[in-house]
Amino acid sequence: MAERKATELMERIVSLCKRRGLIYPSSEIYGGINGFWDYGPLGAELKRNVKELWWRSLVHHRDDVTGLEATIIMHPTVWKASGHVDTFTDPMSTCRHCKKLVRTDQVWELLAEQPWGQAIAKLCPGGQYQRQPLWQWARGKGIRLAPGLALICNLDAVLARLDAKAAQPGTLPQTPEQLFCELATLDPATTGQVTPCPHCGGELTPPRRFNLMFKTNVGPVESDDNVAYLRPETAQAIFVQFKNVLETSRQRVPFGIAQIGKAFRNEVTPRNFTFRSREFEQMELEFFIRPDEVVAQLAGAVARLADLNGAANLTQPQPNWGWEVWHKYWVEERIRWYESIGLPRTSLEEYWQKPEELAHYAKATVDILYKFPFGTQELEGIAARGDFDLTQHQKTSGKSMEYFDEEAKAKYVPHVIEPSAGVDRLILALICNAYTEDLAPDDKGKLEPRIVMRFHPRVAPIKVGVFPLLKNRPELVRKALAVRDLLRPHLTVFYDDAGAIGRRYRRQDEAGTPFGVTIDFDTLGEQGPELQDTVTLRDRDTMKQERVKIDELLPRLLPLIR
Ligand code: ATP
């Protein structure tokens, strides 16, 4: 039930995104292209705001972070050195029945989303075998939904096997997964799990590794000698340019390099709207720190997380911080930033990867997860990567990546903490978080349903709507245009004079515009001089309206959107 509600909610969100120009399928007139999305007029503004806020908070508001903008295509050896050529792979299986490709490690997740998976889970709650409803389903809807499933192809044989199991207590499936496996395979000797194809229930091939990097050729000739890759992450350019930035920026360790840009991954199964796309944008920071031995040498002792009583108030970096504290600091910093753009802490979760889940070079990784309608999933990963990347590039290129620390009078390869966020996933989280349905009065005061996008004013695509009460009164229109021109150099304004005022408010509520300014006859001084040059300022969320002097609009609004 909850799953259906979540699916319906996502459908409403996707439809609003299309209708209001937030997100469209790429190349839609040609049927779209799986895993690629375009941002419409409102989406483009939202995305620019998010990237600008990230950049400002890290690069402009700090002395210890500097920016970089590197190319998408780099020397192919970069990806050899980083390990991407050899290990940036996902396990992939093909269905022998419908021939579709699936990411083997996502089969159960996908299956739970499929109508046939959901139907069987409902017919056999908790994986408990229910003969009659299964028989009916296999003779009816199942034929269309899961044609490859053994239950459909060989109904009698599968039911006979389950009946035999039912006669021997303890051998029947106990969980939905076990039941699905039983229904999918006919071989009674099978002891291992046989996972059914999530699309049709058919048999899947054993997994093969599939490299996620998009390949291309540089230059007019297509040959193995000029193969290049579209970058699968922005981070590597930061490592590769580490020395140049160090020499030209006058930064001293600890310091960071930040970059925003496109990344490409040939995902096996793009899904959940823009959540897993094949082309997306990342906002990555590589924050270089001293190795703990150097901190110990300079500060006497290294502060570790355990010394800090649960890491209280990690807002001011200290010279004695070791990598653990820096790592936790960046986790906190990033969560504080998400809060500052309107994602409440309660909508986020920290997932500390278990030692056995860590990549071989990572000392610790925390995923910041957002509670999407389709599940709690990763928004950003913050990894303590030691000196792995710089050392790899040093080894492969033969160029030193060492830093001479004047204070410590020592040379070393800096260690790194990497907060790596996806712009598109964040945009999706902001949209899901903002989406609200409630009731609002129409022009006659009757309550009617409205969709309101409660974007934080900082990220809202349009900051203020400007409305003359009537469009056929030139003096109202003149004044409204003057207000628009006053505000426009400082914030994004949408001028709207079409239709009843309630309808215009509703349109801006759906666009997530936090403020509305209406110019009426009071503004012209028709009801007395005390109201002349005042307007109504409407708040999207409370729908409260107050009279504000035109001169006071900017001082009122600007602090709320910056
Ligand atoms: P996942 O496990 O979800 O595939 P990941 O751990 O491989 O993600 P990273 O390599 O850590 O992701 O990339 C950093 C960030 O880039 C992710 O937290 C996410 O926000 C974003 N990202 C990664 N892959 C995609 C994708 N296919 N589509 C959209 N954003 C992505």
Side-chain angles (χ1 to χ4, degrees):
M1 191 63 186
E3 229 162 58
R4 201 173 76 221
K5 273 202 179 135
T7 314
E8 281 169 10
L9 174 61
M10 267 324 284
E11 278 166 11
R12 289 203 295 276
I13 290 175
V14 173
S15 132
L16 177 95
C17 284
K18 168 94 195 295
R19 184 157 50 81
R20 290 312 315 244
L22 282 157
I23 302 173
Y24 315 123
S26 163
S27 327
E28 198 185 9
I29 59 167
Y30 293 104
I33 168 165
N34 198 4
F36 297 86
W37 300 93
D38 291 343
Y39 289 81
L42 288 183
E45 293 292 338
L46 180 62
K47 216 174 176 197
R48 286 172 74 99
N49 291 343
V50 164
K51 290 191 283 184
E52 175 64 24
L53 286 162
W54 185 88
W55 189 265
R56 235 195 285 156
S57 78
L58 285 175
V59 182
H60 294 173
H61 289 182
R62 299 181 66 113
D63 291 328
D64 58 358
V65 176
T66 195
L68 178 74
E69 180 143 343
T71 56
I72 286 171
I73 292 179
M74 298 196 283
H75 195 289
T77 312
V78 169
W79 305 109
K80 190 78 194 150
S82 67
H84 284 81
V85 170
D86 295 324
T87 59
F88 194 57
T89 57
D90 276 340
M92 186 182 71
S93 299
T94 314
C95 174
R96 295 194 205 276
H97 186 88
C98 70
K99 310 290 180 228
K100 284 201 174 127
L101 297 175
V102 263
R103 222 175 104 173
T104 320
D105 57 341
Q106 286 178 349
V107 164
W108 293 105
E109 251 174 76
L110 287 167
L111 208 144
E113 291 167 13
Q114 298 299 320
W116 76 265
Q118 289 176 9
I120 289 188
K122 229 181 284 154
L123 294 176
C124 302
Q128 293 304 306
Y129 165 53
Q130 312 269 342
R131 187 177 215 284
Q132 186 58 19
L134 266 186
W135 184 90
Q136 271 175 348
W137 183 81
R139 283 274 184 261
K141 272 193 193 151
I143 297 170
R144 180 174 46 83
L145 292 175
L149 198 63
L151 178 75
I152 308 296
C153 311
N154 286 289
L155 174 63
D156 294 340
V158 173
L159 290 184
R161 183 165 90 224
L162 286 164
D163 289 344
K165 289 200 162 196
Q168 288 177 26
T171 58
L172 265 179
Q174 297 295 314
T175 63
E177 288 197 8
Q178 287 170 3
L179 178 75
F180 283 125
C181 291
E182 285 289 343
L183 299 178
T185 173
L186 254 189
D187 177 9
T190 307
T191 46
Q193 237 186 24
V194 175
T195 34
C197 164
H199 300 289
C200 77
E203 191 191 341
L204 292 176
T205 58
R208 297 176 274 141
R209 303 302 305 182
F210 167 74
N211 195 298
L212 297 183
M213 284 196 293
F214 279 97
K215 260 190 199 168
T216 185
N217 292 87
V218 174
V221 183
E222 232 178 81
S223 95
D224 286 347
D225 299 336
N226 62 6
V227 164
Y229 303 96
L230 303 193
R231 66 182 177 201
E233 60 172 40
T234 58
Q236 289 308 316
I238 298 180
F239 297 121
V240 170
Q241 292 290 8
F242 169 71
K243 270 303 186 67
N244 275 336
V245 175
L246 188 64
E247 277 156 24
T248 47
S249 68
R250 304 177 63 87
Q251 289 284 357
R252 297 280 164 262
V253 172
F255 81 101
I257 306 177
Q259 180 170 217
I260 300 178
K262 289 273 188 182
F264 302 81
R265 296 184 187 177
N266 201 358
E267 298 281 358
V268 179
T269 37
R271 53 205 274 267
N272 289 330
F273 199 18
T274 56
F275 179 84
R276 188 170 299 287
S277 307
R278 289 180 164 140
E279 174 176 340
F280 55 96
E281 270 186 284
Q282 289 185 314
M283 307 185 285
E284 295 197 295
L285 169 69
E286 302 301 327
F287 196 82
F288 300 98
I289 55 172
R290 291 174 163 139
D292 277 8
E293 311 81 78
V294 178
V295 176
Q297 177 202 327
L298 286 170
V302 178
R304 296 181 204 287
L305 258 194
D307 309 329
L308 294 176
N309 291 333
N313 202 19
L314 287 180
T315 50
Q316 287 301 320
Q318 299 299 323
N320 65 343
W321 281 6
W323 72 264
E324 273 186 10
V325 183
W326 272 113
H327 183 232
K328 177 71 178 161
Y329 163 81
W330 277 111
V331 173
E332 286 295 314
E333 275 291 291
R334 297 300 304 135
I335 293 177
R336 280 192 282 269
W337 184 75
Y338 285 121
E339 283 183 297
S340 79
I341 59 167
L343 290 185
R345 201 170 264 250
T346 48
S347 70
L348 302 170
E349 263 177 34
E350 271 175 50
Y351 178 76
W352 288 71
Q353 288 190 9
K354 301 188 186 83
E356 64 274 18
E357 293 170 325
L358 289 175
H360 63 95
Y361 48 76
K363 295 177 170 183
T365 298
V366 172
D367 293 335
I368 298 180
L369 315 177
Y370 174 76
K371 295 175 185 163
F372 288 98
F374 47 82
T376 302
Q377 307 245 5
E378 178 179 331
L379 210 52
E380 167 159 355
I382 302 162
R385 299 173 66 96
D387 60 1
F388 173 78
D389 305 270
L390 286 180
T391 305
Q392 280 298 105
H393 288 299
Q394 178 167 278
K395 269 196 233 152
T396 315
S397 68
K399 304 277 173 359
S400 165
M401 292 291 161
E402 282 183 329
Y403 166 77
F404 180 69
D405 192 321
E406 284 171 15
E407 217 182 319
K409 310 225 179 315
K411 258 188 180 180
Y412 54 80
V413 174
H415 287 218
V416 74
I417 308 291
E418 178 190 81
S420 167
V423 181
D424 309 76
R425 283 192 189 174
L426 174 52
I427 297 295
L428 185 57
L430 289 169
I431 289 173
C432 293
N433 186 65
Y435 184 91
T436 324
E437 293 169 1
D438 68 4
L439 295 173
D442 67 8
D443 285 327
K444 296 191 183 74
K446 193 174 139 242
L447 284 181
E448 57 174 24
R450 76 165 177 166
I451 292 175
V452 52
M453 295 298 283
R454 296 186 194 275
F455 289 126
H456 190 289
R458 283 205 185 95
V459 295
I462 303 166
K463 308 300 184 198
V464 57
V466 173
F467 316 112
L469 187 63
L470 298 170
K471 76 167 171 187
N472 54 5
R473 297 292 293 263
E475 58 285 28
L476 282 178
V477 169
R478 244 193 325 273
K479 197 77 186 171
L481 289 173
V483 171
R484 178 197 70 182
D485 293 344
L486 171 81
L487 301 179
R488 201 145 69 170
H490 308 277
L491 29 77
T492 40
V493 177
F494 192 85
Y495 179 84
D496 188 1
D497 61 8
I501 190 74
R503 290 250 298 284
R504 283 183 266 167
Y505 287 154
R506 220 57 9 106
R507 282 201 287 267
Q508 290 308 309
D509 289 342
E510 263 195 4
T513 308
F515 308 107
V517 167
T518 306
I519 288 80
D520 56 18
F521 294 107
D522 290 353
T523 317
L524 305 177
E526 289 191 5
Q527 313 296 321
E530 65 289 354
L531 290 181
Q532 186 163 8
D533 284 333
T534 64
V535 290
T536 58
L537 178 64
R538 175 182 182 268
D539 180 285
R540 172 198 67 201
D541 297 339
T542 60
M543 292 185 275
K544 285 214 178 92
Q545 305 194 13
E546 55 176 313
R547 251 5 260 180
V548 175
K549 287 198 178 116
I550 291 175
D551 290 350
E552 281 168 13
L553 281 173
L554 277 174
R556 270 287 286 276
L557 298 178
L558 286 182
L560 301 173
I561 63 160
R562 286 196 169 146

